Amino acid sequence: MENELKKLEKAATEAIKAAKTSDELQNIEVQFLGRKGELTSILKGIKDLSVEEKKVIGPLSNDIKNGIIQKLESARAEIEAKAIEAQLANEFFDITAPGVARKIGKIHPMSQVQHEVENIFHGMGFTVADGPEIESEYYNFEGLNIPADHPARDMQDTFFVDKKHEDKHGRLVLRTQTSPVQIRTMEKYGAPLRIIVPGRVFRNEATDASHESNFHQVEGLMIDKDISLANLKGVMAEFLTELFKKEVNVRFRPGYFPFVEPGVELDFSCLICNGKGCSVCKRTGWVEFMGAGMVHPNVLKAGGIDSKEYQGWAFGFGLERLAMMRYGIDDIRLIFSGDLRFTEQY
Ligand code: DAH
């Protein structure tokens, strides 16, 4: 039996050496070690041997079996390595060639400022509200106390959509301001309210360095019992101080907007000269920032709110102007030019 085993070992070793593919190795494994394989059938005879013989043949057959397994494994590894080597020889891969740089996108500077504004107002308990960019004439004008023959309409020349609304809401316009969302939100949620409305607006403007026909505003509205312009002053000073990360003062001047009474213009202290006077603030020490005022009773009424019980203030500012001051951009037309040399700087 010992001889038989030695013969078998030799035969297996030679077969493994001659094998060229892993399939061949697989067949060899079955032939010698499989359930019906040659080694297995020899081992079946061990039970008929004497105890002395068993002591010799047992360990020997085990060694032979393990030897064959090991040889099969290293032959397999060798065949695989050769296959990879052959594949690499066929492929050309220049590891010194420069890679393809992938550009990582980022948030547009206007959206960055908008998110910052939203975050700051969020911190003061304001909700972000939204409204349609194609608006009815009613929400854009009449509801805001600007009837059809009102001279204030001249300030906001706009684009009309060539389609009529079915009901009292009149023609459709590209909204000229975010103020219509004041009424929409009052109608929907009632009082009290604390919202800001960032959004796109449109005007029939001749474009230049500070005018675009398509820009963004942020509307603000706070309605509750016992609200005055003092609250607005505090909120805006806090907002601008947080945004510019620098103590900012605000002041009111009288202003006129049909949807507020009294109406004000809000200026903030010039960040460039700290109020001393420079070319940015036209030597006044103040930068004009936004319109605001106490919401007109007619507007509260349009929103379904009882002006005897509730009052509040509203404001509206241009987001592009704010971004331009924040980042030192001197031409509004750059903002939506789509020129990556511009946007990549922010
Ligand atoms: N909607 C005005 C505009 O586009 C800005 C404005 C002024 C909004 C006063 C207000 C406000 O809410 O109270 O010129």
Side-chain angles (χ1 to χ4, degrees), residues 144 155-156 176-180 182 201 203 215 217-221 256-257 259-260 262-264 290-295 313-317:
L144 289 166
M155 296 193 295
Q156 302 189 1
T176 59
Q177 46 188 350
T178 42
S179 309
Q182 287 187 29
V201 299
R203 302 259 173 107
F215 57 101
Q217 288 186 334
V218 177
E219 194 79 13
L221 178 68
Y256 175 72
F257 302 94
F259 31 91
V260 283
V264 296
M290 66 174 201
M294 294 302 291
V295 180
W313 44 251
F315 66 75
F317 64 80

Side-chain angles (χ1 to χ4, degrees), residues 23-83:
D23 281 351
E24 279 173 51
L25 290 175
Q26 182 62 26
N27 291 338
I28 293 166
E29 183 167 352
V30 174
Q31 183 192 339
F32 290 97
L33 308 179
R35 260 197 306 143
K36 292 184 182 149
E38 293 178 24
L39 180 66
T40 320
S41 47
I42 294 176
L43 294 183
K44 274 184 190 151
I46 288 185
K47 63 178 190 320
D48 303 324
L49 297 177
S50 67
V51 179
E52 301 299 299
E53 281 173 316
K54 274 183 189 162
K55 273 191 185 158
V56 181
I57 298 298
L60 179 67
S61 55
N62 247 343
D63 286 352
I64 288 175
K65 184 179 175 185
N66 289 337
I68 293 174
I69 290 174
Q70 243 171 35
K71 281 174 189 145
L72 278 168
E73 262 168 28
S74 52
R76 260 194 201 111
E78 214 169 289
I79 284 172
E80 258 167 47
K82 273 196 188 134

Side-chain angles (χ1 to χ4, degrees), residues 150-157:
H150 199 288
R153 285 215 181 182
D154 281 356
M155 296 193 295
Q156 302 189 1
D157 191 9

